[in-house]
Amino acid sequence: MSLRIFTKASQGRISRQLSPIFCLFSRSFSESPSRSERPSFGIAFDIDGVLLLGNTPVGASPGALRRLYDDSGKLKIPYIFLTNGGGFPESKRAIELNQLLGVNVSPLQVVQGHSPFKRLVNRFENELIVAVGKGEPASVMSEYGFRNVLSIDEYANCFQNIDPLAQYKRWTPMQVIDEDTKVKNKQMTPKTNVCLERVQAAFVVSDPVDWGRDIQVLCDILRTGGLPGRNTGKQPHLYFASDDLEYQAAFPSERLGMGAFRIALESIFNRIHPNALEYTSFGKPNPSVFKNAEIVLEQLALSLCQNPDSVNGNAHNFKTLYMIGDNPSVDIKGARQAGQPWFSILTRTGVFKGKENHIDFPANQVVDTVEEAVDYILRKECIS
């Protein structure tokens, strides 16, 4: 039985027109130097298909982001990157976004699909866990505080012949990582024989690279109670950072995402095991992701105030939170389910390319590009 998290809540379309008179007397960041006031709105940007296609900026997206900073390069409007992607620590991803988009990005502004895994540290801090996916999945989990974590590359290498096709592969299964990460992971590596230690949980941190091997090894872990090659046992916990079926990358048409991998794993596991696969999926459109995003934006908003102690720091102080995304079933659906104060804006630069609004998950506003989205927000909020 699937343990996927979701909420059956929906939000009607928000339609609010600001009169010229209101805009005339409205106080904006650029018009008022006072930083003792809380910003009344915040923005969450999806990345793939909105700001980037692979490692290439979409259109004039860097210029759109620069409008959210003052002339000195300091952030004046709170915004975050809210993505189901991942594979690298938030600190490293922030540096990459800084380089690709040409703006100052702090790790706090990066909220990835696997960011909620931090909340599970107390449960699995010292237990053996396996991290799956591209990039540096084990480093991600180690940075969150998990002390006994192995990537699926490292774990598979502990078992001879666990991958019957390894001899036919022309790539090196062990991912290349920098020296600092090697030292850190060596310190975190369990001292006991991994083959004799029970895996307590598997975390799919980012899109898996070797689907065949990863499905094989995960099935071995999940149907044996965490001891591959042994008798069957209670299924260890399984967590997915997101459940996107498709996403927009550099290739013209959509690519299969983590949700597709989950479907493949689940289908195979359910055919070879008497009990259905149990798992938990995070990421958009889960309403809890948007609630967490609101908390992060609250923290950013407080950091923009000169005297944050004089500002009410409770949640729900934003009049509007804008979600800018390209995927109706993920970005727009999530914002609609989250309800007020979320306002959804759909771009035509990624998964969605329709002329009209999406039928099943209509956004509050549809635009061609992220530049148009930012321009719409700043005009709506009366900011020059």
Side-chain angles (χ1 to χ4, degrees), residues 285-304:
N286 192 320
S288 66
V289 172
F290 289 82
K291 178 57 62 177
N292 179 64
E294 185 173 348
I295 293 173
V296 175
L297 284 165
E298 288 281 345
Q299 296 172 341
L300 280 172
L302 286 174
S303 70
L304 301 182

Side-chain angles (χ1 to χ4, degrees), residues 116-129:
F117 289 170
K118 300 174 187 178
R119 301 198 297 264
L120 297 171
V121 171
N122 290 339
R123 188 174 184 180
F124 299 106
E125 180 178 4
N126 296 306
E127 305 287 353
L128 176 61
I129 65 171

